[in-house]
Amino acid sequence: KAGVTQTPRYLIKTRGQQVTLSCSPISGHRSVSWYQQTPGQGLQFLFEYFSETQRNKGNFPGRFSGRQFSNSRSEMNVSTLELGDSALYLCASSLDAGISSYEQYFGPGTRLTVT
Amino acid sequence: GENVEQHPSTLSVQEGDSAVIKCTYSDSASNYFPWYKQELGKGPQLIIDIRSNVGEKKDQRIAVTLNKTAKHFSLHITETQPEDSAVYFCAASPPYYGGSQGNLIFGKGTKLSVKP
């Protein structure tokens, strides 16, 4: 079974621009969570989507948004990019069905650099 | 909200020795505690997890223990090998209404170096 895939793997943007990152979960997984990883703050939860609905949200400004499609694929968008948004953005998928639903499997991430 | 502290931040051991990484959490309602291994240029890989109704879990050379009263959990790696070198993260999952467990709160990570 293929793992979580994220595109693009690397991205360079300029301050003020917006960016869209894509995540395809493991086949059959219905929950998708997004995390930001930086050297200073570590791994921080952004939001979680299940059945095309945002089910949980972390403490990030409204510039960070996401959505999930009917096939469970998810996108996240960051508008008005700031230098501090430079980070590795990780997507994780979960089966979300019964006892195994807690396990989250991460993709390789998208490395975003804002200049 | 939940807060997870992880120690040590760096750990260096000789091949064949054991390694122990410890984490504490603050929210007594947290009920799921996974451990991840992250190698350079890759996403975190789930290596073992434990739920709050279990005190210990083992998978070959890796084990995790949980003390709910003290609110701490630990990762134990025995017979370490050079390929165990990586950054290890602990996490806690506080429950969220609606059944969501998608919110993992991570520790800051431990860089493990295994010297041949």
Side-chain angles (χ1 to χ4, degrees), chain A residues 32-44:
Chain A
V32 173
S33 297
W34 288 89
Y35 294 83
Q36 182 195 66
Q37 185 174 28
T38 60
Q41 298 300 316
L43 279 151
Q44 292 185 284

Side-chain angles (χ1 to χ4, degrees), chain B residues 97-116:
Chain B
Y97 97 95
S100 167
Q101 294 286 164
N103 175 9
L104 291 178
I105 308 300
F106 284 87
K108 292 295 187 185
T110 296
K111 185 175 182 180
L112 174 64
S113 299
V114 180
K115 299 179 180 178

Side-chain angles (χ1 to χ4, degrees), chain A residues 4-107:
Chain A
V4 178
T5 58
Q6 293 187 244
T7 56
R9 291 293 312 276
Y10 302 92
L11 207 48
I12 299 176
K13 289 286 187 179
T14 304
R15 245 183 327 177
Q17 288 186 316
Q18 74 165 18
V19 66
T20 299
L21 313 180
S22 182
C23 170
S24 291
I26 292 171
S27 178
H29 283 198
R30 302 165 64 192
S31 168
V32 173
S33 297
W34 288 89
Y35 294 83
Q36 182 195 66
Q37 185 174 28
T38 60
Q41 298 300 316
L43 279 151
Q44 292 185 284
F45 172 74
L46 281 156
F47 29 64
E48 181 209 5
Y49 285 86
F50 176 78
S51 290
E52 303 178 62
T53 301
Q54 188 181 89
R55 190 164 64 173
N56 202 344
K57 188 178 186 304
N59 296 322
F60 277 81
R63 299 184 298 107
F64 293 82
S65 64
R67 60 177 175 169
Q68 186 180 35
F69 302 95
S70 58
N71 61 357
S72 294
R73 190 177 70 85
S74 177
E75 289 181 346
M76 67 162 283
N77 183 276
V78 188
S79 63
T80 320
L81 284 166
E82 300 177 359
L83 295 178
D85 297 333
S86 294
L88 181 68
Y89 289 88
L90 292 157
C91 165
S93 77
S94 173
L95 188 61
D96 204 88
I99 196 167
S100 296
S101 66
Y102 294 9
E103 298 171 353
Q104 290 189 38
Y105 298 91
F106 283 83

